[in-house]
Amino acid sequence: MDARLMTRACAAQIRRHAAPAWGLLPVPVVYASSAEDAPPGAWVISILDDPDQADALGWHTEDQGEHVYGRAFARPVLDNGGTVLSGGLSVSSVLSHEVLETLIDPRCNLWADRGDGTIVALEVADPVEADSYTITVGGTAVSVSSFALPDWFDPQAGGPYDWMGRTSQPFEVTAGGYVVQAHEGHVSAVFGAEYPSWRRKLKGDPSRSARRFPV
C-alpha cells in the first residue's frame, strides 16, 4: 500500500510540477508489483530494503545495453531517523528524488557549464536534497523531493532556481544539499553546511562508470 501511495505521489509531482517546470511532456509513473510486471520498455525504479552500495539511499543509471533503471532503499532512511511517507527524510522522498532525476537526465551524462571552467552534473534533486514538500494522495500526505529548476543550471538566469524557493542564485546549494562537479577532469562533490556526516563518506569517489555519485 505504501509503495502505491509513493508511486501516485511521484506521478502527480511529475505531471503537475516537474514536467511543466522543465518544459517536458510528463511520462507515466505507474506501480508494478515487481520488475517483471512493469510495462515493456519501462524504466524501473525498485524500492528495496537494503542498499547495494554502502549507505546509499538511492541511485539511477544506464547499463551498457542502454537500459535505464534505479533503486531506492528503505533501511538507511529508517535507521537514520527517517520515515516511510512523511517528514524531511522519507522513503517516498528518496523515490521521488530518483524519479525526478531519471526524468531530467536518465542516462546520467548531462552537465551544465558554470562559466568558470567547472561543469556541474544535471542532477536536479541533489542541490536541494534535504528539502521536501507533500502531495496528498487519497487523503494521505506523502513527501516528495524538491528539485532545481532550469535557471539553477544557467549562470546568467534570473530565477526562480528551485521549486521551493530555497536558493537565490544559480549553482547555489542549500544547507542539506550537494552537487557533483568536474574541473580539469577531476570529479568531486561539494556539500552544504548541514549535509549529514553519515552520508558524506559515500561521496568520496565517483561511482556508476565514473559518471555520478549515489544519492
Side-chain angles (χ1 to χ4, degrees):
M1 181 62 176
D2 288 340
R4 292 181 184 272
L5 288 174
M6 294 179 204
T7 304
R8 290 175 60 190
C10 290
Q13 181 183 35
I14 295 299
R15 185 176 66 254
R16 301 174 192 168
H17 304 159
W22 277 84
L24 301 172
L25 292 174
V27 297
V29 179
V30 299
Y31 172 82
S33 58
S34 68
E36 291 73 21
D37 293 329
W43 296 343
V44 176
I45 300 178
S46 302
I47 304 171
L48 305 175
D49 288 334
D50 296 305
D52 51 8
Q53 300 182 36
D55 296 323
L57 299 185
W59 50 263
H60 78 282
T61 192
E62 178 190 34
D63 64 20
Q64 292 183 347
E66 300 184 353
H67 173 222
V68 175
Y69 63 101
R71 305 280 188 269
F73 304 108
R75 198 176 307 279
V77 173
L78 303 178
D79 285 351
N80 287 278
T83 64
V84 175
L85 291 177
S86 62
L89 175 62
S90 65
V91 179
S92 60
S93 67
V94 172
L95 178 64
S96 165
H97 182 128
E98 296 307 327
V99 171
L100 288 164
E101 293 188 342
T102 302
L103 171 72
I104 304 301
D105 183 16
R107 291 170 175 81
C108 298
N109 62 357
L110 300 180
W111 300 79
D113 188 345
R114 206 169 67 184
D116 60 359
T118 300
I119 56 175
V120 176
L122 212 145
E123 299 275 2
V124 297
D126 291 351
V128 292
E129 186 172 276
D131 298 324
S132 63
Y133 62 100
T134 59
I135 290 177
T136 300
V137 177
T140 300
V142 181
S143 292
V144 293
S145 174
S146 187
F147 57 96
L149 299 173
D151 278 10
W152 191 94
F153 297 93
D154 182 350
Q156 306 301 322
Y161 302 106
D162 70 90
W163 185 256
M164 296 178 68
R166 301 288 175 83
T167 55
S168 58
Q169 60 186 345
F171 303 108
E172 180 183 5
V173 176
T174 59
Y178 83 103
V179 293
V180 175
Q181 63 181 30
H183 181 75
E184 296 182 347
H186 175 66
V187 180
S188 62
V190 176
F191 301 98
E194 298 176 9
Y195 197 85
S197 58
W198 65 273
R199 294 180 59 195
R200 286 188 184 223
K201 62 183 180 179
L202 178 65
K203 314 296 183 179
D205 295 297
S207 63
R208 289 183 289 138
S209 303
R211 291 188 296 182
R212 295 289 192 266
F213 295 110
V215 171

